[in-house]
Amino acid sequence: MITLEDIRLSEYTLEHLPRLEELRRLSFVRKPEICIERARCITKYLKYRDDPTDSPELRQAKKVHHFLRRKAARFHDCNLLAGTTTSKALGAPLFPEFFALSLWPELETVSTREKNPQALSAEDARELNQLIFPFWMDRSVLEVARTRFDNPKCLKLFESLVFFIAGKAGCISHCVPTYTPMLEKGLVGLIDEATAREAEASQAGGGVNSRQVQFYRAIKIALQGIIEYAGHLADEAAYQARIIDDPELKKEFADMAEVCRQVPAHPARSFREAVNAIWICQIGMHAENINMAMSPGRLDQVLYPYFRRDMDTGRLDIAGAMELIGCLWLKISDNVIMVPEASEEMFGGAGTVPAITLGGVDSQGEDAVNDLTYLMLRVTELLKIRDPNVNARYHYEKNSDDYRRRVAEVIINTRAVPAFFNDVANIKALCGQGETLAHARDYAVIGCVELASSGRDYPASSSIMLNLSAAMEMALYGGRRPITGETQIGPATAPAAQITSFEQFWEAFKQQLDWLIDQAVQTNEILGAVHQEMMPSPLLSAFFEGPMQNGRDLIQGGALYNSSGATHIGFADTVDSLSAIESAVFARQKVSFTELVQAMENDFSGADGEKLRLYLKNQTPKYGTEDPIARKNARNLVGHLFRTYQSRTNYRGGKYRPAYWTMTNHAGLGGISGAMPNGRKSGGLFASGITPVSGAAPELTACLNAVAELGGEQVPGCWALNIKYTPEDDVAAMSQRFAQTIEAYFRAGGQQVQFNIMDYAMLKDAKKHPENYPELMVRVSGYSAYFKDLNDLMKDELITRTQYGLTDGRAVPFNDD
């Protein structure tokens, strides 16, 4: 129920919320620092205290507990919430189980490198070099996989990074836990439940050392670590309250001490306790798993009972609630990922992408938008920060027009957030994966765009990032790629010169694509097996439905739903290439297949090459238009990928779910890929997510319809559609047109869409004069980033993305001057 008189909350500004104004200022002036606190602590533990006879879950829990009970209690600023992800005000934690060792060659340069430096003290660099990294040389997930599986071909393909990327080599996060049981019972209540189930498992014949019994012990040990960390926070806050003279600060610290004495150990009694309990548990999860897309989920639903109770009893007012929400937003963004210089092209500028989901319907299918939804939208509108990644669900049959227009207005005012998600299409997609209707309705967004039933679905949604252009090149060259020379990579299908019909080429393309998918799936299965032994998640398991009930860790298939995600890079360029071959080579016979491939090998050089390139670029069918060939090839590719992935079962017993989002990989991989049949030159940028190629879709309505018809059951992992709108002076009028366009797109089946409200000229000027745009936030492909932090390829991709005018629905011509 909405009780707010003004859902825009116009009277609440940063000037009236000085704490948030100051914390926001600090978030922009702080420079990231590499934090070795966790790496130091767990390395010492594994060197001197680890017991290899314990089960993997018990070993992991003891490691996590050891770190949390020693984790320093820090208070860096005036934030009302206690707890920090790292020891730094803005920290990049190191996880040596994954890619931390990639920093080794850069220990002396990472602090001063030109792009996105991350400060590292000389003392910490020495410790990493002499004590920490040597221990992990043959102990990272990837090294263990190489050794255990004799470095198979699929791992070598992955390490080349030009065919596919396997997410498990770098993370296991990417999920949405549920916090409701923790808030209602406290961690002590969850520990009591684990104790009871441990006794049942032991008495049922498993014995005191069975895997189930050890799993329940592991949960208890890991959760106890969070409780001890909260205790340290309470002690430090109480100490600060004693030594500080300022009466206002003294009270704030005293209040924080009281909060941390109560939560998360015991049930939350107030909105403030609930908010801080969630934050401390998020910190605990980062002690176990790397800080990548650990998404808090539907906070406007989870926190609403505490908000409502405090508001109704007069213990809380709107300004106080907004202050706490803002403090949580800024705490969630207190950490970044460590990115070595070599990975800047692929991941540079990205945050940790913890997604928060607002609005939509509840598990009964009724309107779930409440007062807290609007408070969170207003805080997002005021702060305009990269993380958390805020997303708005919209059900066109249940949610109000006012809500839809308000979300559109926030996007216009922030220029980039939140993203819009279609409840009707996404609930249908999840039901198609065997999820119950009630569970599907309670979905939340993970990281960029991926979908999961909150606290029930463990989707490992970034398991595979597959480069579709690699399959295209392998089909053109009989299983080889120019970038890897004469080496036979895939099956030896007929090269282009011997192919006599489009149908024959389509079969060759599918054969190469399926082989590549097999390699990516095999890699994921290998890494999954390593994770089961090396990186179980007993702490995270306590925040899911399933593991506690059946005594099995998430990584062993303990969740109710156990999918793996596979996203795709170069979708639009691949569809357009298929259409160009069908049209120019076979239907119109404008060019022979041999001539086309030769022109591509020469990067369309010379007058004839350029003439052909312009023909391919401007005269062949394009995805994002109403052309029947382009629409057919897009549908066929999406359908084939869906059927192929769904036929694979992962190591946890779930299905692979295809998706279409690309982070910044579409710019990085485009930069190192050869020319393509759609007229794209070597090194040209790929289109992002499921977005049509820049400049290829001149009509907005046709573009949205072409994408929308692909949605629903065949894209269970969701997609990122990027649309850029020309800014307008009349925000109210623009919001109205904006909202109407969303309505039509969603009713046509579109699953997701995100926006940049900026024009070509502004982005070109921001690239030329970054000092004038220090806070410019943009949507990349699922997440937000500060434009100044992106690499040049990604900046160019954002600049050249098609810009539409909402007044006429036409693409604005791009002038490259």
Side-chain angles (χ1 to χ4, degrees), residues 412-553:
I412 292 170
N413 288 334
T414 62
R415 297 184 182 276
V417 292
F420 255 121
F421 284 75
N422 180 0
D423 267 13
V424 174
N426 291 327
I427 291 169
K428 180 181 179 183
L430 291 175
C431 285
Q433 295 300 299
E435 301 198 3
T436 69
L437 181 57
H439 290 172
R441 285 169 170 162
D442 190 29
Y443 80 87
V445 178
I446 304 170
C448 290
V449 301
E450 309 96 287
L451 312 173
S453 182
S454 304
R456 307 178 187 91
D457 192 344
Y458 190 58
S461 57
S462 69
S463 294
I464 295 170
M465 300 179 187
L466 192 123
N467 182 3
L468 290 171
S469 76
M472 171 58 66
E473 284 193 338
M474 289 161 65
L476 291 168
Y477 294 98
R480 298 181 175 88
R481 287 194 70 190
I483 196 172
T484 51
E486 291 302 311
T487 304
Q488 184 72 34
I489 302 295
T493 52
Q498 298 173 19
I499 290 177
T500 57
S501 69
F502 177 72
E503 289 70 25
Q504 189 182 354
F505 179 74
W506 171 243
E507 292 303 317
F509 171 75
K510 288 193 295 183
Q511 192 174 346
Q512 299 294 346
L513 177 58
D514 292 356
W515 181 86
L516 209 52
I517 290 172
D518 279 340
Q519 298 301 307
V521 167
Q522 185 183 346
T523 302
N524 186 58
E525 296 297 303
I526 286 172
L527 294 172
V530 173
H531 273 276
Q532 287 178 324
E533 290 300 312
M534 183 178 163
M535 289 296 291
S537 300
L539 188 152
L540 186 62
S541 295
F543 295 88
F544 273 77
E545 290 184 30
M548 187 75 88
Q549 290 75 19
N550 58 38
R552 199 160 69 240
D553 191 279

Side-chain angles (χ1 to χ4, degrees), residues 102-113:
S102 61
L103 182 66
W104 208 341
E106 301 177 29
L107 290 177
E108 295 183 358
T109 59
V110 66
S111 299
T112 57
R113 70 187 185 196

Side-chain angles (χ1 to χ4, degrees), residues 349-351 353 385-390 416-417 754 777-786:
V353 205
I385 52 176
R386 176 179 59 188
D387 284 331
N389 184 26
V390 179
V417 292
Q754 58 192 24
M777 182 170 60
V778 293
R779 293 295 290 189
V780 180
S781 182
Y783 64 88
S784 302
Y786 299 121

Side-chain angles (χ1 to χ4, degrees), residues 74-285:
R74 309 272 185 182
F75 295 88
H76 294 290
D77 49 41
C78 61
N79 197 302
L80 291 174
L81 304 182
T84 57
T85 308
T86 72
S87 63
K88 313 295 185 183
L90 178 58
L94 292 184
F95 290 80
E97 298 97 326
F98 300 112
F99 281 141
L101 268 65
S102 61
L103 182 66
W104 208 341
E106 301 177 29
L107 290 177
E108 295 183 358
T109 59
V110 66
S111 299
T112 57
R113 70 187 185 196
E114 182 179 355
K115 196 65 182 172
N116 296 327
Q118 296 180 327
L120 177 66
S121 71
E123 184 180 352
D124 286 351
R126 276 194 299 273
E127 185 173 346
L128 289 170
N129 186 45
Q130 296 173 7
L131 299 175
I132 296 175
F133 284 169
F135 175 80
W136 288 96
M137 280 186 64
D138 56 358
R139 290 181 169 87
S140 71
V141 166
L142 188 55
E143 287 302 325
V144 171
R146 281 197 192 105
T147 302
R148 184 176 303 174
F149 295 93
D150 197 23
N151 201 16
K153 182 175 183 177
C154 64
L155 278 183
K156 295 174 184 172
L157 283 178
F158 154 55
E159 290 181 80
S160 75
L161 298 181
V162 297
F163 294 93
F164 59 84
I165 296 170
K168 277 192 180 61
C171 67
I172 192 66
S173 311
H174 283 78
C175 63
V176 180
T178 176
Y179 287 115
T180 299
M182 177 275 294
L183 293 174
E184 294 177 350
K185 303 174 185 176
L187 295 183
V188 170
L190 297 181
I191 289 173
D192 289 345
E193 183 178 349
T195 300
R197 291 186 181 277
E198 178 188 352
E200 289 175 9
S202 180
Q203 291 170 4
V208 295
N209 290 314
S210 72
R211 191 72 176 259
Q212 265 195 334
V213 168
Q214 292 213 16
F215 172 66
Y216 288 123
R217 286 183 194 159
I219 285 181
K220 294 192 298 181
I221 291 169
L223 294 183
Q224 185 61 35
I226 299 179
I227 292 174
E228 292 182 37
Y229 173 60
H232 296 326
L233 290 171
D235 292 343
E236 179 63 22
Y239 171 74
Q240 293 294 330
R242 286 196 301 274
I243 65 172
I244 286 178
D245 293 330
D246 184 298
E248 189 173 340
L249 287 177
K250 185 181 284 291
K251 183 177 186 313
E252 286 180 4
F253 275 112
D255 289 345
M256 276 193 277
E258 182 183 348
V259 167
C260 293
R261 299 279 184 223
Q262 177 67 24
V263 294
H266 308 290
R269 302 166 300 185
S270 66
F271 183 68
R272 177 172 181 169
E273 287 184 353
V275 171
N276 211 147
I278 287 174
W279 172 236
I280 292 174
C281 289
Q282 280 277 127
I283 294 170
M285 290 171 193

Side-chain angles (χ1 to χ4, degrees), residues 11 20 30 34 72 88 115 127 187 190 207 214 257 274 447 475 534 541 573-574 598 642 646 662 676 701 790 809:
E11 66 180 289
L20 296 188
R30 283 171 171 153
I34 292 174
K88 313 295 185 183
K115 196 65 182 172
E127 185 173 346
L187 295 183
L190 297 181
Q214 292 213 16
M534 183 178 163
S541 295
D573 295 271
T574 301
Q598 286 176 346
F642 175 73
Q646 290 280 287
T662 55
M676 292 187 72
T701 300
L790 297 170

